[in-house]
């Protein structure tokens, strides 16, 4: 039976989109077929559904999402009574429920409706849908006492109407009251209650939203600049020194268009990062001349400059009435919202209470969700040497907003701050270090010189070497100042991993460093090794790669069933290449008798049950292999890229294995999500060292 979750409220203004987005995130971690149903809808686009559809790649027909609009519902209830309204909505809900494993129901919004008791309607619909309820209470501008009373009353209202209340969520409370409210409610409600503080960035409109609402002309700026949140408004009419003193981080400066001095001055301040602003809004339909605009564009490329015809007073009235909205055009707000929900709601507890039906399928999105969740469970410190790279900065923003790990960014600090300001990125608590200027440089030079003394490296030479961001980051990991490192978006693989070979070195139970890719297919995750590091491993090394890959697979929730790949299956072929794979297979069996391994075996026999039934009918691996070990780099690299491009698989990696501490390499074509995934993997690797093989443990004893 479909399990449904009904997120509802008791009044408008509760900001429940944060909860709806958070619950959708939890559901999509468990199953890959999640439907959405909104019983009643207003005219116009449904911003939240468009966000859910874009973010979670929903294929649901939008026509099935909505029960009916408010006007139709009001007329139906007036003419034929509430029972007929509810019956009609139940029928339309079940059209969705029959097609999906789980349905997220978005309750009514209490805005401009003609229903005298909307709470009762939501409660009845939840019961008729067979859905569990998560009521949301808004706490903005309320005292602690009133929030506590309202939350208890809301629980009673839904519980007394027969609803299965999963949990209560109190949203938008003052940060200074959050802990007190949570403590009081924890002992006064029979269900979990999650208290989420107000987050100004969620209520702040983006510059693009402001431009749309005001009908403003975009004089300067790019898409990333228009996506910035306007956290404050500063109205400029005073002299420049006074205006600069009034600037706040993320503010939108509103000034008459003939004040070129204020335009240039505020953009220069932004360029210096003191402070970074959202943009400039010019009034009076005045725009500075071309020379000033050219200078402005060079000072702060991408920073938006808007122009409106009105004067400051009516413009201010419109600005102060604006509130930011979660939608498909504001992905950064979605990351902020999810980070907020995941920080203050016990997502593990809520997942257990939802008890959605488990799925044997593992989609790419489910795998990515699991990575972030696992990384958050034990926060680690990851250093990113390419701190001034745009993709790295954007990934860092996602990682910070989702609370995945603590970050250190390396590079010239002023350049990093300027780049972040130009992109509208708040680096938050991230640590910024310039290796060339760091007080750690002397100590690192001595450390590196000692490690490489056998190669004739002096302290003076080492002093130059450790100013390189990859060497500096690797030494941070070695010295315990970071738990892992990710680089490679702007550096070659050699430049990224050579310092790790020299400084961190291989584990005692590993003869070589190798790599795997997690290949996320439509319904499962396979592990490919080695597709990035070793050109032509011998039998001993191939066995090592297989064992390491199995350990890595298990660590990330993939049950290892190893296929040692060759152009021949079983005993059907011979030759040096096949013999190498056959010998490696026997070595794996000798070293790790607990692992299931088959080889030599062809790819089709390894993954396709019908082929396996013909070629190796008695094998416990054939047809269901999860770890595929390629005989050489040429075969592995080309195969992973062919599967990635032809089958539409998501390739996560390469993930290095065999090092004493985690260092991972990025493709120079890595996307922002690739970087996020790789950092999460690195953090997970740092949470616990891989267990050595039984033979090594026995030898140690």
């Amino acid at each position: 039976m479909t399990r449904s979750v009904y997120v509802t409220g008791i009044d408008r203004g509760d900001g429940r989109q944060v909860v709806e987005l958070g619950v959708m995130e939890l559901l999509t971690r468990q199953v890959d077929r999640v439907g959405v149903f909104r019983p009643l809808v207003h005219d116009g686009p449904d911003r939240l559904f468009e966000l859910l559809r874009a973010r979670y790649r929903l294929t649901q027909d939008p026509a099935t999402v909505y029960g009916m609009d408010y006007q139709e519902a009001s007329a139906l209830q007036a003419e034929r009574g509430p029972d007929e309204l509810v019956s009609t909505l139940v029928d339309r809900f079940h059209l969705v429920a029959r097609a999906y494993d789980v349905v997220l129901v978005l309750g009514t919004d209490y805005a401009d409706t003609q229903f005298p008791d909307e709470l009762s309607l939501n409660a009845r619909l939840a019961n008729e849908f067979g859905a569990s309820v998560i009521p949301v209470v808004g706490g903005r501008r309320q005292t602690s006492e009133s929030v506590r009373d309202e939350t208890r009353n809301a629980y009673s209202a839904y519980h007394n109407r027969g609803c299965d209340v999963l949990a209560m969520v109190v949203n938008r409370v003052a940060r200074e009251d959050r802990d007190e409210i949570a403590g009081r409610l924890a002992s006064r409600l029979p269900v979990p209650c999650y208290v989420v503080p107000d987050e100004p960035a969620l209520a702040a409109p983006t510059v693009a939203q402001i431009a749309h609402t005001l009908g403003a002309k975009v004089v300067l700026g790019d898409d990333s600049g228009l996506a910035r949140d306007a956290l404050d408004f500063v109205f400029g009419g005073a002299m420049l020194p006074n205006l600069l003193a009034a600037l706040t981080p993320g503010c939108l400066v509103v000034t008459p268009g003939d004040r070129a001095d204020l335009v240039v001055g505020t953009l220069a301040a932004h360029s210096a990062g003191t402070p970074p602003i959202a943009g400039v809004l010019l009034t009076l339909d005045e725009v500075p001349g071309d020379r000033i605009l050219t200078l402005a564009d060079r000072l702060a490329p991408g920073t938006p400059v808007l122009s409106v015809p009105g004067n400051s007073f009516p413009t201010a009235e419109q600005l102060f009435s604006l509130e930011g909205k979660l939608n498909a055009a504001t992905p950064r707000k979605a990351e902020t919202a999810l980070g907020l929900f995941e920080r203050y709601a016990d997502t593990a507890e809520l997942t257990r209470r939802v008890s959605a039906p488990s799925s044997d399928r593992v989609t790419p999105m489910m795998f990515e969700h699991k990575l972030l969740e696992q990384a958050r469970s034990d926060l680690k410190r990851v250093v990113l040497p390419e701190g001034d790279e745009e993709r790295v900065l954007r990934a860092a923003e996602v990682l910070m907003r989702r609370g995945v790990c603590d970050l250190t960014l390396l590079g010239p600090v002023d350049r990093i701050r300027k780049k972040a300001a130009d992109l509208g990125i708040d680096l938050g608590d991230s640590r910024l270090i310039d290796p060339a200027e760091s007080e750690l440089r002397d100590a690192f030079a001595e450390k590196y010189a000692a490690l490489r003394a056998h190669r004739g490296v002096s302290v003076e030479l080492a002093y130059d070497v450790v100013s390189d961001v990859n060497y500096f980051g690797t030494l941070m990991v070695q010295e315990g100042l970071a738990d892992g490192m990710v680089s490679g978006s702007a550096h070659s693989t050699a430049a990224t991993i050579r310092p790790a070979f020299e400084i961190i070195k291989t584990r005692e139970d590993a003869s070589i460093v190798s790599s795997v890719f997690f290949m996320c297919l439509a319904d499962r995750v396979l592990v490919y090794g080695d597709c990035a590091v070793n050109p032509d491993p011998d039998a001993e090394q191939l066995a090592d790669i297989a064992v390491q890959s199995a350990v890595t697979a298990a660590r990330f929730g993939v049950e290892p069933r190893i296929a040692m790949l060759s152009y021949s299956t079983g005993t059907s072929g011979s030759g040096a290449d096949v013999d190498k794979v056959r010998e490696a297979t026997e070595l794996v069996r000798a070293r790790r008798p607990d692992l299931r391994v088959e080889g030599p075996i062809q790819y089709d026999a390894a993954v396709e049950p019908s082929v396996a039934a013909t070629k190796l009918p008695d094998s416990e691996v054939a047809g269901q292999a999860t770890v595929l070990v390629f005989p050489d780099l040429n075969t592995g690299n080309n195969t992973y890229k062919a599967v990635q491009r032809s089958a539409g698989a998501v390739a996560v990696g390469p993930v290095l294995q065999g090092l004493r501490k985690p260092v991972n390499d990025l493709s120079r074509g890595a996307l922002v999500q690739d970087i996020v995934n790789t950092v999460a993997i690195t953090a997970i690797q740092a949470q616990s060292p891989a267990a050595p093989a039984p033979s090594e443990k026995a030898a140690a004893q």
Side-chain angles (χ1 to χ4, degrees), residues 554-572:
R555 177 181 289 178
F556 291 93
V558 178
E559 182 182 355
R561 294 186 291 271
I562 308 169
M564 306 294 287
L565 297 176
S566 175
Y567 61 77
S568 171
T569 294
T571 59
S572 66

Side-chain angles (χ1 to χ4, degrees), residues 493-688:
T493 294
T496 299
I497 65 177
R498 185 187 298 113
F501 290 163
E502 295 178 1
I503 297 167
I504 294 176
K505 304 181 180 178
T506 59
R507 294 196 319 264
E508 292 180 359
D509 62 320
S511 64
I512 58 171
V513 172
S514 61
S515 72
V516 296
F517 279 90
F518 291 99
M519 301 300 294
C520 303
L521 305 176
D523 59 351
R524 55 187 161 160
V525 176
L526 300 178
V527 178
Y528 284 12
D530 172 9
C531 303
V533 179
N534 296 286
D536 188 17
D538 60 27
E540 184 86 16
Q541 293 170 330
L542 204 57
D544 198 353
I545 291 169
V547 171
Q548 289 185 40
S549 299
V551 171
T552 300
R555 177 181 289 178
F556 291 93
V558 178
E559 182 182 355
R561 294 186 291 271
I562 308 169
M564 306 294 287
L565 297 176
S566 175
Y567 61 77
S568 171
T569 294
T571 59
S572 66
S574 61
D577 291 337
V578 178
D579 292 342
K580 178 179 78 168
V581 174
R582 184 174 290 115
E583 181 184 350
T585 303
E586 294 307 317
L587 287 172
V588 173
R589 288 177 176 145
R591 293 179 189 176
R592 291 291 302 266
D594 57 309
L595 292 175
R596 287 178 285 179
V597 59
E598 187 68 67
I601 186 172
Q602 292 161 290
Y603 191 99
D604 58 348
V607 301
E608 177 52 51
S610 62
V611 178
T614 301
K615 294 189 174 183
L616 286 173
D618 298 324
S619 172
E620 60 180 352
V621 171
Q624 53 183 340
T626 56
V627 178
L628 296 110
V629 180
F630 294 90
D632 54 63
L633 185 59
N634 181 48
T635 307
N637 191 268
N638 278 293
T639 301
Y640 107 76
K641 288 182 177 177
V643 173
Q644 179 186 30
R645 300 301 178 184
S646 300
V650 175
V652 179
V655 178
L656 297 184
Q657 49 193 16
L659 289 168
R660 291 178 178 176
K661 296 185 178 183
V663 171
N664 281 309
D665 178 39
L666 297 165
S667 163
R668 274 175 280 185
L671 303 176
V672 170
Q673 189 60 45
D674 298 331
I675 300 172
V676 170
N677 290 339
T678 303
V679 171
I681 285 172
T682 305
I684 294 167
Q685 287 179 306
Q687 288 173 353
S688 60

Side-chain angles (χ1 to χ4, degrees), residues 278-302:
V280 178
L281 176 61
L282 307 176
T283 61
L284 301 178
D285 208 16
E286 292 276 351
V287 177
D290 290 344
R291 294 176 65 183
I292 295 296
L293 291 178
T294 299
L295 175 60
D297 193 35
R298 289 179 177 174
L299 279 171

Side-chain angles (χ1 to χ4, degrees), residues 221-462:
D222 57 21
D223 289 343
S224 63
L226 291 169
R228 297 177 191 173
D229 297 322
L231 301 176
D232 191 11
F233 302 112
V234 174
F235 292 83
M239 298 298 289
L240 179 59
N242 294 327
L243 176 63
L244 294 179
L247 296 180
T248 57
C251 70
L252 181 72
V253 177
V254 184
T255 184
D258 58 359
R259 291 296 304 272
D261 59 326
L262 301 186
V263 174
V264 172
T266 53
L267 291 177
H270 169 84
S271 179
T274 54
I277 64 173
V280 178
L281 176 61
L282 307 176
T283 61
L284 301 178
D285 208 16
E286 292 276 351
V287 177
D290 290 344
R291 294 176 65 183
I292 295 296
L293 291 178
T294 299
L295 175 60
D297 193 35
R298 289 179 177 174
L299 279 171
T303 298
V305 176
L306 312 180
S307 174
V308 294
N311 62 37
S312 297
F313 183 74
T315 300
E317 283 188 312
Q318 289 181 281
L319 289 174
F320 287 124
S321 66
L322 278 175
E323 184 167 335
K325 301 292 183 183
L326 289 172
N327 58 48
T330 58
R332 293 168 61 196
K333 284 188 185 296
E335 297 294 350
T336 300
L338 285 171
L340 197 67
F341 183 79
E342 290 162 344
R343 178 177 178 183
Y344 292 100
D346 187 336
T347 55
E349 176 185 50
L350 188 54
T351 299
R352 288 193 298 271
R353 294 181 67 83
V354 169
S355 65
S358 60
S359 173
D360 293 332
R361 289 163 54 90
V362 180
T363 67
M365 184 176 297
M366 292 168 68
F367 184 72
E368 290 173 353
H369 289 336
K370 185 175 180 179
L371 290 180
L372 301 189
E373 185 177 23
Q374 193 172 343
R376 273 194 300 268
S377 68
D378 179 14
L379 285 185
K380 295 299 178 183
R381 302 160 298 168
V382 178
V383 57
L384 305 177
E386 299 159 325
D388 57 355
E389 276 292 308
E390 178 175 340
R391 287 167 295 158
V392 171
L393 285 168
R394 293 195 182 281
E397 182 180 39
V398 173
L399 292 160
M400 287 184 294
R401 293 187 183 218
R402 300 294 298 277
V404 175
C405 61
D406 294 327
L407 292 174
T408 298
L409 303 178
L410 302 184
V413 173
D414 289 344
R415 189 189 304 168
I416 294 173
R417 292 191 192 281
K418 184 179 186 305
K419 187 73 171 182
D422 290 340
L423 296 171
I425 291 173
D426 180 5
L427 294 175
D429 296 329
S430 294
R431 187 181 181 191
L432 308 182
I433 298 177
D434 183 353
E437 304 291 335
S438 173
E439 59 186 16
L440 296 169
R441 187 175 177 183
D442 287 332
F444 281 1
E446 292 181 5
K447 178 69 175 181
Y448 181 71
L451 288 170
R452 304 296 291 173
H454 65 289
R455 293 286 188 177
V457 176
S458 65
V459 174
E460 291 76 13
L461 177 58

Side-chain angles (χ1 to χ4, degrees), residues 6-316:
Y6 197 118
V7 180
T8 182
I10 60 173
D11 201 352
R12 65 184 303 180
D14 52 28
R16 91 183 71 141
Q17 295 87 354
V18 172
V19 181
E20 291 166 334
L21 185 63
V23 172
M24 186 67 170
E25 184 86 1
L26 295 184
L27 295 177
T28 55
R29 290 177 190 170
Q30 297 175 269
V31 295
D32 65 311
R33 296 191 308 135
V34 181
V36 179
F37 186 72
R38 190 187 289 280
L40 300 177
V41 64
H42 292 284
D43 290 337
D46 187 334
R47 289 186 295 265
L48 183 66
F49 175 68
E50 290 305 316
L51 170 61
L52 297 178
R53 182 163 67 163
R55 183 177 184 85
Y56 299 104
R57 306 161 200 159
L58 304 183
T59 57
Q60 182 177 352
D61 182 354
T64 68
V65 172
Y66 311 112
M68 63 183 73
D69 63 41
Y70 277 95
Q71 186 174 358
E72 179 188 0
S74 180
L76 180 60
Q77 178 168 281
E79 293 173 11
R80 304 174 66 177
D83 289 348
E84 186 65 25
L85 170 63
V86 171
S87 177
T88 302
L89 292 174
V90 168
D91 288 343
R92 295 179 183 179
F93 165 78
H94 282 297
L95 291 175
V96 178
R98 283 194 290 270
Y100 294 92
D101 299 320
V102 180
V103 179
L104 171 63
V105 185
L106 312 175
T108 66
D109 60 10
Y110 297 84
D112 302 322
T113 67
Q114 291 78 43
F115 296 97
D117 190 356
E118 209 160 335
L119 188 151
S120 292
L121 175 62
N122 280 299
R124 183 175 177 187
L125 288 175
N127 289 333
E128 297 291 351
F129 294 169
S132 298
V133 178
I134 301 178
V136 183
V137 176
R140 178 177 279 185
R141 301 186 185 93
Q142 293 197 53
T143 65
S144 299
E145 292 76 13
S146 65
V147 170
R148 292 196 298 269
D149 292 343
E150 195 165 87
T151 304
R152 295 169 65 191
N153 290 335
Y155 170 78
S156 297
Y158 281 100
H159 177 72
N160 293 340
R161 287 169 172 80
C163 293
D164 172 29
V165 180
L166 279 178
M168 298 293 299
V169 178
V170 185
N171 192 30
R172 288 183 159 181
V173 302
R175 283 191 174 270
E176 60 270 20
D177 296 334
R178 188 262 161 200
D179 291 345
E180 179 195 351
I181 293 171
R184 293 285 184 90
L185 287 172
S187 59
R188 298 191 181 188
L189 289 173
V191 298
C193 182
Y194 310 123
V195 182
V196 182
D198 200 15
E199 174 53 63
L202 288 177
T206 65
V207 179
Q209 290 173 329
I210 291 171
H212 176 74
T213 301
L214 300 184
K217 176 184 176 183
V218 179
V219 179
L220 293 176
D222 57 21
D223 289 343
S224 63
L226 291 169
R228 297 177 191 173
D229 297 322
L231 301 176
D232 191 11
F233 302 112
V234 174
F235 292 83
M239 298 298 289
L240 179 59
N242 294 327
L243 176 63
L244 294 179
L247 296 180
T248 57
C251 70
L252 181 72
V253 177
V254 184
T255 184
D258 58 359
R259 291 296 304 272
D261 59 326
L262 301 186
V263 174
V264 172
T266 53
L267 291 177
H270 169 84
S271 179
T274 54
I277 64 173
V280 178
L281 176 61
L282 307 176
T283 61
L284 301 178
D285 208 16
E286 292 276 351
V287 177
D290 290 344
R291 294 176 65 183
I292 295 296
L293 291 178
T294 299
L295 175 60
D297 193 35
R298 289 179 177 174
L299 279 171
T303 298
V305 176
L306 312 180
S307 174
V308 294
N311 62 37
S312 297
F313 183 74
T315 300

